[in-house]
Amino acid sequence: MKGKNKMDYKGKSEQMIEYIKKLRACIKWLLEREDANLAEIVKLNGLLEAAEKHHSQIVAQLKSAIEESKTINEELQKQYASLEENLKKVEAEKMDALRSYGDEKETRIALESSRNELLEDLSRLKLEGKRLNEQIKMLQDTNKRLQEYNTSLQQYNSNLQADVTKNGETITKLQKEKNTMVETMNGLKDHANSVKMQLDLAKSSQNEALKQKNELLKEVDNLRSELQQVREDRDHKLVEVHSLLAEIGTYKEMTGKSAVELDNVMTRSTALEEICSAQQERIKLLEVQLASTNEKLKRSDLTTIESMTEYEKQKRMSEDLQLRLEEAEQQIIDGEKLRKKLHNTILELKGNIRVFCRVRPLLSNESGAISYPKSGENLGHGIELTHNAQMYAFTFDKVFDQLASQEDVFIEISQLVQSALDGYKVCIFAYGQTGSGKTYTMMGKPEIHDQKGLIPRSLEQIFQTSQTLVSQGWKYNMQASMLEIYNETIRDLLANNRTSIQDGGVSKYSIKHDTNGNTHVSDLTIVDVSSFNEVSSLLKRAAQSRSVGRTQMNEESSRSHCVFTLRIFGVNEVYNIFLLLNLINA
Ligand SMILES: Nc1ncnc2c1ncn2[C@@H]1O[C@H](COP(=O)(O)OP(=O)(O)OP(=O)(O)O)[C@@H](O)[C@H]1O
């Protein structure tokens, strides 16, 4: 502080008052700034929490999506392998068809030569001409039919070839799409990891900024208390200056009073000046501290802005990932549709109606001579029976020998079960004389793993597959019914009322066909089932109903026919598709 002279305390204190006013304004500004910063921190905390919540949700979604994609990929790979196997089978069948075409050709040539011979005979044997002419006509008809058969075989062969080429192309396309999908999935996974790392970094820098902010707040508090102290000191000194001024005035009035007292006053005045300059130093120091605090506040603001920018960036990346995930899901759905189409095409190529023959092992009291072709086109398709030293050969789509297990038979029909879930109607029908093994093949012994028949195995597969399809948005409802036909009479095997099971003669059930080609039996008990265990207990109940009938019918139950029906209703709520109604009959 500078006065007009050393004794100009008034001037100095006025300057000090001015300076203190400025300091007050500065403190006020600092306080406002601090409030604004506090509000900003609260806002940022809110945003940070929301961002963290959003991030954890996205990470969880990504994880589950990646898991789903893995499962679907594995399934697609399995299906691809089975498609390849089927393709090989179709090619083998095509070769069989070509071979049989060659055989037919030879037969036709042989027939033509025999027709020529007959013509020669005709010229020689004029008396038998009329009869021979008729024979020739007959042979010509046969020849024509054979030619037609040849043409249809050729047509079938070219259709097969076209289908095989088409399937090959589709499978290659499917494989490519699958590879792209796998790559996209891996990319998404890496991207998700890097986004997570960046978010962690942003979070730690945010925490750092918050820490700095808290430290700065503490410093501001300290500065404020120091300023309060300075203000109090200054008030105190002002009081002292006023009293000194009063004393000086008194001294001026009392001129000539003792010089010693004057010296004392001068000393006190010098001390006061020293205190004032010390306070000035202190104020300068406070100003420097205030400047550095401001600087730190600015840096903290910058960090907050950087965190916000980073957060926005992460948010955009998350949205982008979400979009890509949706695209990947769509690709999976398209792949599933294509798989269904190919699966059905392969089954159609194999033949919509196929007949298999299963030979059961001989019982202890039985004897018989059954053999199988050891090589040639009928290998695995033929069976040879010997009766009265005469051999009879039969061919089927496939022959299961005595050693074939329940599993072997199920493998052959398991693809049809998949078709039932894909929305196609399927019927599996066992036919044969009494004791030939129909019940064993269809039902077996469900409680023994190796001896489970086609019905329990099919049901297990249906429930397992429908469970895996839930993740793709499918919901299934299943209804089971079971009836027995004995002597043209229908009996409901799931009816609770015994009399309705055993009413025998008076049948109240009638068979109806609707416009969609579905067959219904009126008043038949239909039970909703949601698990394999539920169906299993129904099968047991039905078996008991059957055995009651068998006792009453005096062991003639072998003449009865049993039909098990499972209706599958499937709806896809995610993609708004309603599809299936299927039957499996036995
Ligand atoms: N593949 C097989 N392996 C072992 N045993 C079998 C096999 N097939 C059938 N059997 C046995 O042969 C016997 C007759 O079979 P099953 O009862 O299934 O005949 P079915 O055709 O259903 O007769 P029905 O028409 O009289 O009811 C049973 O004891 C069964 O366990």
Side-chain angles (χ1 to χ4, degrees):
M1 302 294 150
K2 282 180 187 172
K4 286 173 191 162
N5 54 49
K6 244 185 177 182
M7 299 299 284
D8 186 10
Y9 293 117
K10 198 177 175 185
K12 282 181 186 176
S13 61
E14 273 168 3
Q15 279 180 16
M16 191 178 267
I17 287 165
E18 199 56 42
Y19 193 74
I20 285 162
K21 270 184 192 167
K22 282 182 189 169
L23 260 179
R24 266 186 192 160
C26 186
I27 288 163
K28 197 178 167 193
W29 179 83
L30 262 176
L31 285 171
E32 281 169 6
R33 181 78 192 144
E34 183 201 339
D35 288 344
N37 279 339
L38 275 171
E40 187 66 21
I41 287 167
V42 171
K43 208 171 136 192
L44 278 173
N45 275 340
L47 284 171
L48 189 68
E49 271 173 27
E52 276 173 6
K53 215 184 263 178
H54 189 62
H55 167 250
S56 58
Q57 278 171 0
I58 286 168
V59 168
Q61 281 172 0
L62 275 173
K63 269 184 192 165
S64 75
I66 287 163
E67 282 305 316
E68 260 174 44
S69 310
K70 269 185 193 168
T71 323
I72 291 162
N73 262 343
E74 279 166 14
E75 204 166 290
L76 277 173
Q77 271 172 344
K78 273 183 207 161
Q79 282 166 2
Y80 173 68
S82 102
L83 282 176
E84 270 189 334
E85 205 176 288
N86 289 333
L87 195 66
K88 277 179 197 161
K89 282 182 189 164
V90 168
E91 273 175 346
E93 279 172 14
K94 191 193 79 185
M95 293 307 290
D96 288 345
L98 279 169
R99 255 182 253 126
S100 75
Y101 167 61
D103 290 347
E104 294 298 338
K105 211 172 169 182
E106 278 171 24
T107 318
R108 195 183 55 154
I109 291 163
L111 280 169
E112 272 175 354
S113 68
S114 78
R115 188 193 65 175
N116 291 337
E117 279 169 23
L118 281 170
L119 280 169
E120 281 169 19
D121 285 347
L122 186 71
S123 63
R124 275 190 286 111
L125 303 164
K126 282 178 184 174
L127 288 172
E128 289 177 15
K130 200 178 171 187
R131 194 170 57 83
L132 283 174
N133 267 337
E134 280 170 5
Q135 267 187 344
I136 287 164
K137 218 175 186 180
M138 231 168 68
L139 282 169
Q140 276 173 338
D141 281 346
T142 316
N143 188 28
K144 201 176 163 192
R145 274 205 302 279
L146 278 171
Q147 272 176 339
E148 278 168 8
Y149 182 48
N150 263 342
T151 322
S152 76
L153 265 180
Q154 276 173 337
Q155 183 66 35
Y156 179 59
N157 184 29
S158 58
N159 283 349
L160 270 179
Q161 273 177 336
D163 282 335
V164 165
T165 321
K166 214 168 103 192
N167 280 340
E169 280 167 14
T170 323
I171 285 165
T172 320
K173 211 173 126 201
L174 195 67
Q175 182 65 28
K176 271 184 197 161
E177 276 175 11
K178 194 196 82 186
N179 290 342
T180 327
M181 257 162 64
V182 170
E183 276 169 21
T184 319
M185 282 294 162
N186 290 338
L188 281 172
K189 215 170 152 187
D190 293 347
H191 208 58
N193 287 339
S194 82
V195 165
K196 203 182 161 198
M197 273 163 65
Q198 283 173 353
L199 266 175
D200 288 345
L201 276 175
K203 210 171 143 190
S204 62
S205 68
Q206 187 85 16
N207 287 339
E208 195 62 37
L210 275 172
K211 261 189 212 162
Q212 282 182 1
K213 197 115 199 168
N214 288 337
E215 280 169 15
L216 285 173
L217 279 171
K218 271 184 201 159
E219 271 186 49
V220 167
D221 279 346
N222 290 341
L223 281 174
R224 204 188 301 157
S225 61
E226 278 183 35
L227 271 170
Q228 184 64 31
Q229 187 66 39
V230 169
R231 205 185 302 159
E232 281 167 8
D233 283 356
R234 189 254 313 158
D235 289 344
H236 187 64
K237 296 303 169 197
L238 261 176
V239 173
E240 279 187 18
V241 166
H242 283 308
S243 80
L244 277 172
L245 280 171
E247 272 183 42
I248 287 164
T250 321
Y251 280 121
K252 269 182 187 172
E253 280 171 15
M254 299 160 63
T255 317
K257 275 199 175 175
S258 120
V260 179
E261 280 181 15
L262 196 63
D263 282 346
N264 282 345
V265 171
M266 285 302 286
T267 319
R268 283 175 71 186
S269 166
T270 319
L272 274 173
E273 270 180 10
E274 277 170 8
I275 289 167
C276 274
S277 65
Q279 278 183 346
Q280 216 172 340
E281 284 300 314
R282 179 85 188 126
I283 285 164
K284 270 185 193 164
L285 198 76
L286 282 173
E287 275 178 344
V288 171
Q289 282 182 353
L290 201 64
S292 90
T293 309
N294 275 338
E295 194 57 40
K296 282 180 185 171
L297 264 173
K298 266 185 201 164
R299 279 207 299 274
S300 156
D301 284 349
L302 275 177
T303 321
T304 310
I305 289 165
E306 273 172 18
S307 299
M308 284 297 290
T309 323
E310 188 59 29
Y311 166 70
E312 286 297 328
K313 207 171 130 193
Q314 300 301 339
K315 202 173 154 189
R316 277 198 297 277
M317 276 162 83
S318 287
E319 282 165 2
D320 187 36
L321 279 174
Q322 190 69 31
L323 273 177
R324 289 166 75 179
L325 200 65
E326 277 167 18
E327 276 171 21
E329 277 174 357
Q330 189 54 49
Q331 279 180 342
I332 287 166
I333 290 159
D334 292 346
E336 180 60 14
K337 277 185 194 159
L338 193 61
R339 190 216 36 90
K340 278 185 188 173
K341 207 175 146 197
L342 284 174
H343 180 76
N344 192 45
T345 312
I346 285 168
L347 289 186
E348 274 173 10
L349 284 173
K350 277 183 149 188
N352 272 343
I353 298 174
R354 273 174 278 161
V355 182
F356 303 138
C357 169
R358 185 179 192 184
V359 180
R360 73 153 166 74
L362 289 175
L363 299 178
S364 51
N365 57 346
E366 288 176 332
S367 63
I370 298 170
S371 59
Y372 308 94
K374 301 281 179 298
S375 60
E377 57 181 331
N378 286 338
L379 182 66
H381 300 280
I383 179 171
E384 291 154 357
L385 305 179
T386 310
H387 181 66
N388 291 341
Q390 175 85 30
M391 196 194 67
Y392 300 90
F394 302 92
T395 54
F396 298 91
D397 286 306
K398 190 171 174 83
V399 169
F400 296 100
D401 63 15
Q402 291 99 320
L403 300 175
S405 64
Q406 299 283 64
E407 172 78 10
D408 294 335
V409 181
F410 177 68
I411 286 171
E412 199 57 37
I413 64 113
S414 65
Q415 290 183 353
L416 294 172
V417 177
Q418 175 62 47
S419 288
L421 277 170
D422 285 351
Y424 298 94
K425 292 189 179 88
V426 175
C427 174
I428 300 164
F429 188 88
Y431 177 80
Q433 75 175 65
T434 181
S436 57
K438 302 183 292 293
T439 312
Y440 182 84
T441 300
M442 296 309 284
M443 194 61 75
K445 291 175 185 160
E447 63 285 354
I448 303 172
H449 178 74
D450 289 346
Q451 296 193 32
K452 266 189 282 188
L454 294 186
I455 291 177
R457 282 172 198 268
S458 303
L459 292 170
E460 267 176 3
Q461 184 178 333
I462 283 172
F463 282 110
Q464 269 169 17
T465 316
S466 65
Q467 226 27 59
T468 57
L469 288 172
V470 168
S471 60
Q472 287 176 29
W474 283 100
K475 268 188 185 171
Y476 289 98
N477 284 324
M478 320 255 184
Q479 291 181 336
S481 62
M482 204 163 175
L483 60 88
E484 193 177 40
I485 304 167
Y486 178 74
N487 280 344
E488 305 293 318
T489 306
I490 292 172
R491 304 195 312 148
D492 186 352
L493 293 177
L494 299 184
N496 286 320
N497 186 351
R498 278 260 155 126
T499 51
S500 68
I501 299 166
Q502 298 172 12
D503 63 357
V506 200
S507 173
K508 58 174 179 170
Y509 306 104
S510 57
I511 299 169
K512 286 175 185 156
H513 306 284
D514 67 16
T515 44
N516 297 326
N518 298 319
T519 303
H520 301 278
V521 177
S522 64
D523 297 320
L524 194 66
T525 308
I526 293 172
V527 184
D528 288 324
V529 285
S530 57
S531 69
F532 175 69
N533 288 343
E534 278 178 31
V535 191
S536 192
S537 61
L538 284 184
L539 292 176
K540 273 187 203 148
R541 199 164 107 199
Q544 280 163 10
S545 302
R546 279 196 91 186
S547 59
V548 170
R550 186 172 287 162
T551 315
Q552 288 194 343
M553 299 296 167
N554 199 15
E555 289 300 315
E556 289 191 57
S557 69
S558 58
R559 286 190 205 159
S560 78
H561 309 291
C562 177
V563 180
F564 173 79
T565 305
L566 184 71
R567 289 182 178 81
I568 307 169
F569 300 87
V571 60
N572 194 315
E573 287 183 342
V574 179
Y575 304 105
N576 203 17
I577 304 166
F578 183 84
L579 269 182
L580 313 171
L581 167 63
N582 295 298
L583 305 173
I584 295 179
N585 290 355

